[in-house]
Amino acid sequence: MKSRSAHPLLILVLVLWLPACEPSATVAPDAEPAAVAAVDRQRLRAAETDTDNWMSYGRTYSEQRYSTLDQINEETVTDLGLAWSFDLKTERGVEATSIVVDGVMYTTSSWSIVHALNARTGNLLWTYDPKVAKDKTRHACCDAVNRGVAVWRGQVFVGVLDGRLVALNAATGAVNWSVATVDPELPYTITGAPRVIDGKVLIGNGGAEYGVRGFIAAYDVNSGQLVWRFYTVPGDPALGFENKAMEMAAATWKGEWWKLGGGGGTVWDAMAYDPELELLYIGVGNGTPWNREIRSPGGGDNLFLSSIVALRPDTGEYVWHYQTTPGESWDYTATQHIILADIEWEGKTRKVLMQAPKNGFFYVIDRVSGELLSANNYIDITWATHVDMDTGRPVEVPGARYEEKEFLVTPSYLGGHNWHPMSYNPDTGLVYIPVLDFPANYAQPEHFLYRPGVSNVGTDGIIGSLPDAQSEREAMRPLMQGRLLAWDPRTQREVWRVEHKGPWNGGTLTTAGNLVFQGTADGNFVIFSADEGKQLWDFPTRTGVVAPAMTYAIDGEQYVSINVGWGGAYALVFGEFVQAESLPNVSRVLTFKLGASGQLPNVDWKPRVVFNPPPPTGDATTIRIGYALYQDICMGCHGLNAVSGLLIPDLRGSAYLHDAAGWNAVVREGALRVNGMAAFGQWLSKEQSETVRSYVIQQAHRGQKLQQ
Ligand code: CA
């Protein structure tokens, strides 16, 4: 069932020519006159020394997330307190880094909603809500999240979950222009922050789990016209190649990948830019499906999956690439944060690029040429032993491709490090990585059927995930780890670590005050010393934190701000581990300064599922079929083994378990579409949907027994 019936071209024309059709911004009655986001080429290029402001996603084009502000430092940090908080009024994951320009903060919440705030007081200036259709989440692997905006000469740019790129008037929040950057009929999403380089706004997209062909595109800041588009994987060779790079890439693919959704390789997060070299660096994601044996039978590196690619930002022309995981088969994206720095290397200063992608290796690469300088694993990994420095390729462990039998792979598909930004402190020379450390089972699927628009990972949905047996899952609990890791890129060695309660903690910020800032999954905002990792300060956030902090100054006073609100892929999928922490989603912007003493209200929270299941239905075979369908189609949002991460209702407590007709109307016909539950009648027959109900009823009985 399609949620839109208009022709994509018609939609494109409408959004280009009828901006008045866009939902308009709400301006608060007591709105102050907003300073215009006066950011341009000169200012962005000099951002390193413009310490009062945080003018682009990673603060500077080098994306170091380092600030020379040092009023808040090792000595003064004990005097840090809450200056103001702003309630984002959404209940899904919050991942954004706020932008601050000349005293005005531009930030986003889930559902791509933009707020402009007075950065000194937190007073609302305006809000823009792009009114994303809630059932678009069926194409969002990893929650209805958004990582922030870009600003340029009085405009604010936001990538919307449904694929729109919208330019707003920075003073009022009114829509200047809006374009569909993707075919709205296809399962593309946008969660990443745009960047602006010399009058062009750059945006990628996600959707490789569902079946899309990845690309990054550049739009004119004034007109919204497409300037260039760079695809990351080749299309059907019979239709010709867009450029020489695609022709080169196609030689590394086998089979008919373009029939399985387009190959994947989405550019959903990392970008960095070197203005001197005139090079834009992008991180490219996983293949569709993950399993290379299905995607490209017989092998092949499958360029540019899992690669860092250097492009000319003016034209999108390919310059060089480095592939971190040739022939990737585990969802090992290289979309993770890219940092540019000049570091000492074998007695010389080298211009390098650093990345800790999902695959568990930390890479230091010459960013002029793409030459690999060094690579070492930043967590214990099971799929490879090391990177061969002659070939630049990982040396794989036999069996890791799970061709013959299942293989317990570390890191998992969520990576040793995911989207949560790391940071680099030139004073300590260290990179601060929010690390994930847990395995996942991968296996060849019994059957693989490509289903357009739903998850197509191509690893077995039953044994490829957490086991269904409670005792086996309990045994896995100690393996679910997360930590803050201080890594020396020159020696490729760990310098210090702080173990957290579990995985999926926030991104990091580091400053000249010898500080590292990180929010945690269990609801704390913590500050550590940058050289030794000593905990210096903490503040209870009353909700899990995944976003990174940022810092700015107004009239000589330093502020630190962080968006809080639990969510994202881990929160949705690993419900069982998340529920143990019992934290609600309370989405807020929290801003701190020295001498402030604000407090947050306690949150009344009753996370336990109220079980009231009907008697079991279906025999063992029926339930097993339902289990497999559930893990393939429902699990991404409703959680492994039907245990919800509590961002959305836990199905085991659903009243529809008692009501076969109601279940059918919701699951197949979209009766709760406005709440975000899409119609799945295209992929689930009535009989199949009943097997899923039988499986969830079984899980409800199991859950009830455990609760007693
Ligand atoms: Ca992925």
Side-chain angles (χ1 to χ4, degrees):
M1 206 167 284
K2 288 174 178 175
S3 59
R4 296 173 196 226
S5 52
H7 190 278
L9 269 179
L10 178 65
I11 289 171
L12 187 70
V13 167
L14 280 175
V15 295
L16 268 174
W17 292 100
L18 293 175
C21 292
E22 282 289 302
S24 59
T26 322
V27 180
D30 61 343
E32 305 150 50
V36 184
V39 169
D40 57 14
R41 176 189 164 98
Q42 282 73 26
R43 238 184 135 184
L44 269 183
R45 286 177 183 222
E48 206 167 312
T49 54
D50 191 342
T51 47
D52 284 3
N53 295 297
W54 187 291
M55 298 183 290
S56 71
Y57 182 66
R59 204 183 97 73
T60 60
Y61 278 138
S62 61
E63 306 269 331
Q64 291 182 356
R65 291 179 175 268
Y66 165 78
S67 169
T68 54
L69 292 175
D70 63 357
Q71 191 176 74
I72 300 166
N73 59 43
E74 274 180 294
E75 274 75 50
T76 61
V77 68
T78 47
D79 197 27
L80 191 66
L82 183 68
W84 57 261
S85 73
F86 176 78
D87 195 338
L88 292 163
K89 299 191 182 74
T90 48
E91 296 179 335
R92 301 292 287 264
V94 175
E95 297 188 351
T97 303
S98 301
I99 301 281
V100 170
V101 185
D102 305 330
V104 179
M105 175 180 286
Y106 305 93
T107 198
T108 67
S109 184
S110 47
W111 305 109
S112 328
I113 297 168
V114 186
H115 300 283
L117 306 172
N118 179 320
R120 191 197 302 264
T121 62
N123 287 346
L124 177 69
L125 303 176
W126 54 258
T127 290
Y128 166 72
D129 181 352
K131 307 266 191 232
V132 173
K134 294 285 191 285
D135 62 347
K136 180 61 186 172
T137 48
R138 78 179 193 273
H139 294 153
C141 64
C142 307
D143 205 353
V145 294
N146 184 280
R147 285 185 288 280
V149 298
V151 294
W152 182 268
R153 288 191 176 170
Q155 293 199 99
V156 178
F157 304 94
V158 62
V160 179
L161 190 70
D162 57 21
R164 280 174 285 166
L165 177 66
V166 180
L168 305 170
N169 179 323
T172 64
V175 174
N176 286 347
W177 54 258
S178 172
V179 294
T181 67
V182 299
D183 179 344
E185 297 294 320
L186 296 177
Y188 285 103
T189 49
I190 297 178
T191 56
R195 312 290 201 282
V196 181
I197 299 175
D198 295 347
K200 285 181 276 298
V201 54
L202 306 166
I203 192 72
N205 46 62
E209 271 64 49
Y210 300 86
V212 296
R213 185 182 177 203
F215 65 86
I216 176 171
Y219 290 83
D220 182 281
V221 287
N222 296 317
S223 66
Q225 292 291 328
L226 178 71
V227 180
W228 56 257
R229 179 181 288 152
F230 178 81
Y231 284 102
T232 57
V233 295
D236 179 356
L239 302 176
F241 299 112
E242 288 87 357
N243 51 47
K244 284 259 179 263
M246 283 301 97
E247 193 174 349
M248 170 177 80
T252 66
W253 290 71
K254 292 181 163 65
E256 297 183 313
W257 67 91
W258 61 93
K259 292 184 176 167
L260 298 177
T266 49
V267 185
W268 55 261
D269 195 62
M271 289 184 235
Y273 170 54
D274 185 325
E276 281 174 26
L277 299 173
E278 270 306 319
L279 288 175
L280 164 71
Y281 307 96
I282 60 168
V284 182
N286 58 277
T288 307
W290 296 349
N291 187 342
R292 182 184 65 177
E293 211 33 50
I294 298 171
R295 184 179 71 236
S296 178
D301 287 352
N302 294 182
L303 292 173
F304 295 104
L305 296 182
S306 305
S307 300
I308 297 160
V309 183
L311 303 172
R312 291 288 172 215
D314 261 5
T315 57
E317 183 197 347
Y318 164 91
V319 181
W320 60 255
H321 76 275
Y322 174 77
Q323 189 173 41
T324 60
T325 313
E328 91 85 15
S329 227
W330 307 271
D331 190 19
Y332 282 169
T333 64
T335 46
Q336 280 57 50
H337 184 185
I338 293 170
I339 290 178
L340 312 184
D342 296 348
I343 68 169
E344 290 300 309
W345 182 260
E346 293 175 349
K348 280 194 292 192
T349 301
R350 296 285 291 262
K351 291 175 185 294
V352 306
L353 166 163
M354 300 182 283
Q355 192 190 42
K358 275 190 189 175
N359 74 9
F361 286 106
F362 189 97
Y363 295 90
V364 179
I365 292 168
D366 182 312
R367 72 173 181 271
V368 182
S369 63
E371 178 200 351
L372 176 67
L373 298 183
S374 70
N376 197 12
N377 50 308
Y378 59 90
I379 59 166
D380 290 337
I381 62 174
T382 64
W383 72 280
T385 55
H386 63 287
V387 174
D388 182 318
M389 290 308 295
D390 292 329
T391 62
R393 299 170 71 92
V395 178
E396 291 177 17
V397 171
R401 289 186 177 272
Y402 53 94
E403 284 159 335
E404 304 297 324
K405 57 179 190 196
E406 66 179 280
F407 195 93
L408 190 67
V409 183
T410 306
S412 76
Y413 39 82
L414 289 182
H417 168 222
N418 204 291
W419 68 269
H420 315 79
M422 50 190 200
S423 54
Y424 170 70
N425 188 321
D427 309 328
T428 61
L430 302 179
V431 177
Y432 305 98
I433 316 170
V435 164
L436 306 174
D437 190 354
F438 59 91
N441 256 317
Y442 291 71
Q444 291 298 322
E446 288 166 25
H447 311 282
F448 177 76
L449 169 69
Y450 174 68
R451 302 183 186 98
V454 293
S455 188
N456 290 284
V457 297
T459 62
D460 194 294
I462 295 174
I463 43 184
S465 57
L466 280 185
D468 195 39
Q470 179 74 19
S471 57
E472 288 178 48
R473 294 205 299 280
E474 284 302 325
M476 284 190 77
R477 192 176 287 273
L479 302 178
M480 309 296 284
Q481 297 180 12
R483 69 184 65 97
L484 171 59
L485 187 67
W487 189 260
D488 187 334
R490 291 159 300 184
T491 59
Q492 288 278 17
R493 290 283 178 270
E494 172 180 337
V495 175
W496 54 258
R497 68 165 68 189
V498 174
E499 294 290 348
H500 292 312
K501 246 177 165 174
W504 210 249
N505 302 286
T508 68
L509 160 72
T510 187
T511 67
N514 189 31
L515 301 177
V516 179
F517 302 70
Q518 188 185 30
T520 63
D522 63 335
N524 248 326
F525 182 34
V526 194
I527 303 179
F528 306 94
S529 65
D531 53 355
E532 293 180 340
K534 201 173 123 204
Q535 183 170 327
L536 303 172
W537 178 91
D538 74 311
F539 181 89
T541 53
R542 316 280 189 206
T543 186
V545 187
V546 291
M550 53 78 66
T551 187
Y552 58 94
I554 302 171
D555 295 336
E557 195 164 36
Q558 185 184 357
Y559 296 77
V560 172
S561 185
I562 188 164
N563 289 9
V564 302
W566 181 241
Y570 177 82
L572 287 172
V573 172
F574 287 85
E576 190 151 351
F577 298 99
V578 172
Q579 284 202 14
E581 299 295 336
S582 300
L583 276 167
N585 177 299
V586 184
S587 299
R588 289 192 174 112
V589 183
L590 304 182
T591 300
F592 301 83
K593 65 175 185 178
L594 296 177
S597 58
Q599 292 295 321
L600 290 174
N602 248 320
V603 178
D604 186 26
W605 175 239
K606 294 182 186 64
R608 285 163 75 88
V609 181
V610 180
F611 293 105
N612 176 30
T617 61
D619 57 17
T621 309
T622 304
I623 289 173
R624 188 176 163 84
I625 293 168
Y627 174 34
L629 288 167
Y630 176 89
Q631 301 291 70
D632 268 2
I633 297 173
C634 319
M635 178 271 285
C637 292
H638 290 283
L640 279 167
N641 304 312
V643 183
S644 159
L646 298 171
L647 292 175
I648 50 182
D650 192 305
L651 291 183
R652 297 170 305 160
S654 169
Y656 291 104
L657 296 181
H658 292 265
D659 173 7
W663 178 270
N664 183 64
V666 171
V667 173
R668 301 188 61 249
E669 292 160 17
L672 294 180
R673 183 181 270 139
V674 289
N675 296 359
M677 176 60 195
F680 286 88
Q682 188 183 338
W683 302 284
L684 284 172
S685 69
K686 199 169 175 183
E687 292 69 31
Q688 286 173 325
S689 135
E690 271 300 288
T691 66
V692 175
R693 192 169 70 96
S694 296
Y695 167 66
V696 177
I697 290 171
Q698 172 197 275
Q699 293 304 89
H701 282 281
R702 286 178 172 182
Q704 190 172 36
K705 211 181 256 175
L706 282 171
Q707 205 180 67
Q708 283 161 357

